[in-house]
Amino acid sequence: MASTIPAGLKHIKLVRNPHYKRSGTKSYVYLLNKWGFKPTKNGPYTVGTKIQQQGKHGDQRLVGGKARRLTTLQKKASPTSDQVGEVPADDIQNDSEYLAQVDIGTPAQTLSLDFDTGSADLWVWSTELPSSTTSQSSGHTIFDSSKSSTFKATNSTWQISYGDGSSASGNVGTDNVTIGGLVVKKQAVELAQKLSSEFASGAGDGLLGLAFGSINTVQPQPVQTPVENMISQSDIPSDMELFTANLGSWRDADEPDKGASFYTFGYIDQDVVSASGQDIYYTPIDNSQGFWMFDSASASVNGKSISRSGNTAIADTGTTLALIDDETCEAIYNAIPGATYDDTQQGYVFPANTSADDLPVVTFAVGGKQFAVMKEDLGFADAGNGNVYGGIQSRGDMTFDILGDTFLKGIYAIFDQGNTRFGAVQRTETNQNTGLPPS
């Protein structure tokens, strides 16, 4: 099939991080930390609250004012204990499974960044970090603004902080950022001056947020995201003010696309759409909280519909799992022979030898249309004792779903910023590889 990629643009290939170690419980704890929700199922981890000024991330973020209620991550003495303490850093998955290369500065310095549709900061490891951090940065590319002729310093600052006390902060400058063949001029680049050990432990050189700029943490005022600048600078066509995500899997090495993962900016890969045999389905989004949020008022398990009136969901490439309401979660695992809730791992598990035929067809509504989770993605990680940790878990007391990679691997996702809508095409696969995930 002939290429449909416009001249000057290209796929941004995602590369699997060879150091990534898949863990169900650690990934769930990371999401507790990132989103700040209170668990509704028993387990070792919970959240408390305290008052703090800084931070805009998660369900509890402040819309206005100077102080806010901040969730604090805590670990219980046992799954049912009332005694709580701090959460060790090793209990949290702070690494990213997939990274993408982005060029910053003149001449270009190439960094490997985590693309995240659930946040809106573009921050990088920088030479402004203390030697105590950079000396342990084996494998990292550290951005040196002094070596870029197009870098301009500003008086702005940034800070990201999570409920376990981890944080990243620093100064802000502007520079040329090249993403998928597009040169975004005068893009705000947040230079890390301080990284807590949790932030420093990941293999990536920083993060590129693809949510909406209203939740960007730069002070005294938020800055435009790369996509917002692509639009305002007319770097992408006015009828293609969008980006797309095609998240593949190690499981799909034998599929025609070889499990390739990529993003596009400014165009839709029509080869992927054609291969699905379907048209793109679009639904309006509500970006008032800064996220890619849409209506998801129903789900189904093996064709049996589950009504979830008023329910919404966000598409988040920075979340490995799918987090949904407890009733739907229970219905899914009731349909898997031998599945149980393991309160020591704070998640649903099921037998690793479960065949694809014995796994249910699970769908979630994107607007008015159902889209299926690939059966092979229902199992996320080895849970020991012959079980796997499920890729769909409880969202706790959050009022919306987080449809992360478990769901997004089943679709080709179109994030249409110009038209304030989210598009999806159901991807098809020849086989469902339900083998035990790598550790």
Side-chain angles (χ1 to χ4, degrees):
M1 182 178 292
S3 172
T4 58
I5 302 176
L9 301 181
K10 60 183 179 181
H11 283 174
I12 300 178
K13 294 181 180 179
L14 298 183
V15 178
R16 191 173 189 277
N17 170 11
H19 304 293
Y20 180 81
K21 294 182 179 180
R22 188 179 290 259
S23 167
T25 304
K26 288 184 178 183
S27 293
Y28 190 72
V29 176
Y30 171 78
L31 297 176
L32 282 173
N33 200 28
K34 176 179 179 178
W35 292 104
F37 62 91
K38 190 174 183 65
T40 50
K41 306 284 289 184
N42 281 342
Y45 304 93
T46 188
V47 294
T49 58
K50 67 179 181 180
I51 301 300
Q52 191 185 67
Q53 281 188 263
Q54 178 60 37
K56 294 186 178 182
H57 216 314
D59 195 39
Q60 310 293 340
R61 72 180 184 86
L62 184 72
V63 176
K66 293 185 177 180
R68 75 177 190 119
R69 184 163 57 110
L70 177 71
T71 57
T72 59
L73 191 62
Q74 300 169 338
K75 187 174 184 178
K76 303 177 187 177
S78 70
T80 57
S81 173
D82 291 330
Q83 293 182 309
V84 296
E86 292 185 354
V87 177
D90 285 346
D91 285 15
I92 307 174
Q93 177 58 274
N94 289 300
D95 211 353
S96 302
E97 185 170 10
Y98 292 98
L99 300 168
Q101 290 192 332
V102 173
D103 291 338
I104 303 177
T106 308
Q109 300 174 46
T110 303
L111 284 76
S112 295
L113 303 182
D114 180 13
F115 282 18
D116 180 7
T117 61
S119 63
D121 287 80
L122 194 178
W123 70 265
V124 298
W125 281 63
S126 82
T127 52
E128 296 186 18
L129 286 163
S131 58
S132 57
T133 300
T134 58
S135 63
Q136 301 179 33
S137 64
S138 175
H140 281 288
T141 297
I142 301 174
F143 180 69
D144 187 346
S145 61
S146 69
K147 293 183 178 179
S148 172
S149 62
T150 45
F151 181 85
K152 303 293 182 185
T154 72
N155 294 321
S156 297
T157 61
W158 66 281
Q159 179 178 353
I160 299 170
S161 57
Y162 290 151
D164 63 342
S166 61
S167 64
S169 61
N171 290 326
V172 183
T174 62
D175 210 335
N176 293 346
V177 175
T178 303
I179 306 170
L182 294 167
V183 180
V184 184
K185 296 181 179 180
K186 298 181 180 179
Q187 171 62 47
V189 179
E190 301 164 32
L191 308 181
Q193 290 182 307
K194 295 180 181 179
L195 291 177
S196 66
S197 60
E198 293 83 358
F199 275 84
S201 65
D205 304 322
L207 180 142
L208 191 149
L210 293 167
F212 292 85
S214 60
I215 58 170
N216 174 268
T217 71
V218 171
Q219 296 289 338
Q221 62 184 28
V223 296
Q224 287 194 314
T225 66
V227 175
E228 288 169 340
N229 276 328
M230 287 178 191
I231 293 171
S232 65
Q233 296 175 16
S234 300
D235 294 326
I236 51 181
S238 59
D239 61 345
M240 283 284 160
E241 295 176 344
L242 53 79
F243 63 94
T244 77
N246 188 88
L247 303 184
S249 171
W250 62 271
R251 298 179 182 273
D252 301 330
D254 294 332
E255 295 292 332
D257 65 1
K258 307 299 183 185
S261 294
F262 62 84
Y263 280 76
T264 71
F265 290 81
Y267 75 98
I268 297 169
D269 189 317
Q270 294 298 334
D271 289 350
V272 177
V273 178
S274 297
S276 74
Q278 303 172 49
D279 294 330
I280 301 170
Y281 174 82
Y282 288 101
T283 191
I285 62 159
D286 173 3
N287 64 4
S288 62
Q289 296 186 59
F291 303 120
W292 289 90
M293 178 176 284
F294 47 81
D295 290 339
S296 183
S298 64
S300 75
V301 179
N302 282 335
K304 184 178 180 180
S305 181
I306 301 170
S307 176
R308 306 192 297 162
S309 178
N311 189 70
T312 58
I314 72 167
D316 181 17
T317 61
T319 291
T320 50
L321 306 172
L323 303 181
I324 64 170
D325 67 280
D326 286 343
E327 181 182 352
T328 306
C329 213
E330 187 173 340
I332 291 167
Y333 289 100
N334 282 344
I336 301 177
T340 60
Y341 181 82
D342 183 342
D343 61 8
T344 63
Q345 300 197 56
Q346 202 146 348
Y348 286 94
V349 301
F350 62 88
N353 61 1
T354 305
S355 68
D357 289 342
D358 287 333
L359 289 171
V361 176
V362 178
T363 70
F364 296 103
V366 175
K369 186 173 181 178
Q370 297 288 324
F371 289 88
V373 176
M374 293 290 180
K375 287 187 175 184
E376 65 187 21
D377 292 317
L378 290 174
F380 174 70
D382 184 359
N385 298 316
N387 288 320
V388 290
Y389 192 92
I392 300 172
Q393 298 291 345
S394 167
R395 71 186 190 191
D397 69 350
M398 272 197 301
T399 56
F400 54 86
D401 297 342
I402 309 287
L403 296 181
D405 296 353
T406 293
F407 174 76
L408 294 172
K409 286 179 178 179
I411 65 173
Y412 180 42
I414 294 92
F415 297 82
D416 190 342
Q417 201 141 329
N419 292 304
T420 325
R421 62 183 183 173
F422 178 77
V425 173
Q426 184 77 61
R427 291 163 61 190
T428 58
E429 293 183 351
T430 306
N431 300 297
Q432 292 295 300
N433 177 2
T434 57
L436 189 66
S439 60

